[in-house]
Amino acid sequence: MSLIVQKYGGTSVGDIDRIQAVAERVIATRNAGHSVVVVLSAIGGETDRLLSLAYDIDPKAAGRELDVLLSTGEQVTIALLSMALEAKGSLAQSFTGAQITIHTDNSHNKARIMKIDAERVNAALEAGRIPVIAGFQGIDEDGNITTLGRGGTDTTAVAMAAALKADECHIYTDVDGVYTADPRIVEKARRIERIAYEEMLEMASLGSKVLQIRSVEFASKYNISLRVLSSFVEGPGTLITAEDESMEEVLIAGIAHNRDEAKLTIRGVPDTPGMASKILGPIAEANIEVDMIIQNIGDDDSTSFTFTVHRNDYDKAKSILELTSKDLNAGGVEGDDNIAKISVVGVGMRSHAGIASQMFAALAEEGINIQMISTSEIKISVVVDDKYLELGVRALHSAFGLDQGDN
Ligand code: ADP
Ligand code: ASP
Ligand code: MG
């Protein structure tokens, strides 16, 4: 008998009918001879609703009390699904993160899972009960409720699968797999049959929010067989797995995009050693992560320095940079939060030259100006004006032969 962890996201538990449908699927999986552990998100939109309540009181709400609030969303669905399972004649038992226990560090709102005690869940399974676990939450060593960051239920599910040594982890969502691009933007996007952990990790990091980044890290570290499936339609979904040779043959696995970043430039900085650290040091001290960086040498002895940060950190980073500009007697600061990042990802890139030039040519053909570029072994990212995001993603999707109907 195999053990399967099934995770259902917000739309999959979006209302009572959907919760009943989840109960049916869980029971059907059991009837097919498997052991099932369920991990749930809050009802779709609930986490946003709770957040906006908090922001109505304090626009900067964060930390401990926000976690107490946000974690309630998942407590509602685990109780409802457990009731639905029981009403259909199965034994079930709901668990909050604290009840299991899911131990995390103490970074409220973006905590990391450190350890999971599997005893209570195993005991429930042995007693013939279906464990129904609240995703997205845990507790720190002082017993405070923590949450794992948006999309965190994916990570709870994969970490749970690792702790239970489950045979498979199934992520049920509103799309029937991982696509070559966000199907909401690219109509011709195709479902990917199999994708390497490393590619999926890049896709997730670069904005494909179908899986939370940490969930893919866990899956890769513990070699969890992870499948993304639709809770609305039957189908094989997408298997996320270790890389093999056949994957190398595919040049580009997919196109990712994100609108989460903003760009800052400091001009007229003296071109002397130590400048980058003087500029980025105070940003790092404020706990702001920097993503892409470029430095341009001007005609005189000065340079300009541009970098991107998360849009949420934009205002804070801009004020810090303005102080730095005064300190360094630099030429001032400019910012732009109307940018988007588009990336092409694929392990096949390792053994092929010319992808970057093909990418830049496709964007040029659409008249899209590239503002910044960064590359790694298996991805190339560009920053463009936000208004070109859709056009750029679709152009690249076609240029790399990913459109449905192409081979
Ligand atoms: P859930 O609530 O089930 O966790 P999410 O909204 O977090 O669902 O993730 C599913 C969504 O991810 C899809 O509706 C889709 O718009 C988006 N998405 C972004 N990139 C991709 C991709 N490459 N493949 C599939 N879905 C993607
Ligand atoms: N409910 C949380 C969110 O909306 C966690 C999740 O759904 O994965 O981000
Ligand atoms: Mg999600």
Side-chain angles (χ1 to χ4, degrees), residues 7 9-10 173-175 177-179 181-184 203 208-210:
K7 176 257 174 175
T173 182
D174 57 1
V175 273
V178 178
Y179 275 64
D182 187 343
R184 284 177 211 251
M203 294 276 285
S208 303
K209 289 173 189 156
V210 59

Side-chain angles (χ1 to χ4, degrees), residues 262-269 296 304-309 314 317-319 321-323 325 330-339 371-372:
K263 187 175 84 165
L264 286 158
T265 300
I266 176 166
R267 295 200 186 283
V269 181
N296 288 316
S304 74
F305 199 90
T306 303
F307 57 92
T308 63
V309 296
Y314 176 62
K318 195 157 182 243
S319 342
L321 199 60
E322 273 156 3
L323 288 178
S325 174
V333 172
E334 276 163 38
D336 183 358
D337 60 354
N338 277 313
I339 58 163
Q371 304 178 6
M372 299 175 85

